[in-house]
Amino acid sequence: INPETWEQKRDFYRTTRSYIYELAEWHRRAPKIKEMVLDLVEGICLDFGCGIATLSLLGKQYGKTIFAYDIESFTFEFAKFRLRKHHASHLISEVPQSHTYDTIVCVDVLEHLEVPLQILKDLNTLLKPDGKLIISALGGGTTETHPMHTELTHSMLESYLLEDAGFRFESRAGPNIIARKLHKSETF
């Protein structure tokens, strides 16, 4: 399977059951990344593009409230199954609400999207004032194993996408970029 158009990519994520296995393997190999992300979470959190909801389940173990959200797909259905199985169905977010979250995590998501700037703007509306955005984009182009990745890089995010979406770069923490929602007085 090598989706080329955005419609084919969307269909791939919505209909491919085998993607669950790739995500499970990625989460198994990257527990330190998830723990690094978890340590950065403040208050009520949304894991945007949650995959199989590993961060929500890990957060539950550590007393954090991390709502899981993803596009409707077999993968998100599996995430909901996992949350229900671990008595955490209250962490399923079918439709994220504006100005609700103190933190939004968006790890390994933006490089899969056709218009990442619009998604960043949408995420901005979901954050409370001075809310925190934790993002990581492992883009850099398509490869044989990741034909769906775009050319999005961390330097693109830091140099203009964050500001254009109403965020200010705050710091880097390992593979993650930390940004804060701009106050109205900080915008032009």
Side-chain angles (χ1 to χ4, degrees), residues 138-187:
L138 306 172
T142 61
T143 65
E144 189 175 310
T145 57
H146 294 95
M148 295 76 77
H149 282 191
T150 65
E151 298 294 328
L152 183 68
T153 63
H154 279 139
S155 62
M156 291 168 66
L157 285 165
E158 290 177 30
S159 62
Y160 65 92
L161 284 174
L162 287 172
E163 186 175 326
D164 289 353
F167 292 98
R168 64 178 151 71
F169 172 82
E170 189 171 272
S171 64
R172 297 241 358 214
N176 302 307
I177 295 173
I178 313 303
R180 290 279 179 183
K181 182 174 181 168
L182 287 170
H183 296 280
K184 291 196 187 285
S185 62
E186 295 178 274
T187 58

Side-chain angles (χ1 to χ4, degrees), residues 41-183:
V41 168
E42 299 170 353
I44 305 297
C45 178
L46 176 68
D47 184 6
F48 182 85
C50 69
I52 58 174
T54 299
L55 189 61
S56 294
L57 291 170
L58 187 60
K60 182 177 180 263
Q61 290 176 356
Y62 290 94
K64 300 204 178 218
T65 303
I66 303 174
F67 290 93
Y69 175 78
D70 213 316
I71 63 171
E72 281 303 318
S73 62
F74 289 117
T75 303
F76 194 39
E77 289 304 314
F78 183 68
K80 292 188 245 183
F81 164 78
R82 290 182 77 208
L83 290 167
R84 286 190 298 270
K85 180 181 174 193
H86 294 282
H87 309 289
S89 60
H90 64 286
L91 296 176
I92 298 167
S93 180
E94 298 288 348
V95 180
Q97 301 297 312
S98 294
H99 310 291
T100 301
Y101 306 99
D102 300 292
T103 305
I104 294 178
V105 173
C106 186
V107 173
D108 197 23
V109 173
L110 294 176
E111 70 272 21
H112 296 262
L113 303 175
E114 183 175 12
V115 188
L117 177 59
Q118 185 57 54
I119 296 300
L120 286 168
K121 288 178 179 180
D122 293 345
L123 294 178
N124 187 302
T125 67
L126 301 176
L127 281 170
K128 293 178 182 176
D130 201 40
K132 180 192 278 190
L133 176 67
I134 303 168
I135 53 176
S136 180
L138 306 172
T142 61
T143 65
E144 189 175 310
T145 57
H146 294 95
M148 295 76 77
H149 282 191
T150 65
E151 298 294 328
L152 183 68
T153 63
H154 279 139
S155 62
M156 291 168 66
L157 285 165
E158 290 177 30
S159 62
Y160 65 92
L161 284 174
L162 287 172
E163 186 175 326
D164 289 353
F167 292 98
R168 64 178 151 71
F169 172 82
E170 189 171 272
S171 64
R172 297 241 358 214
N176 302 307
I177 295 173
I178 313 303
R180 290 279 179 183
K181 182 174 181 168
L182 287 170
H183 296 280

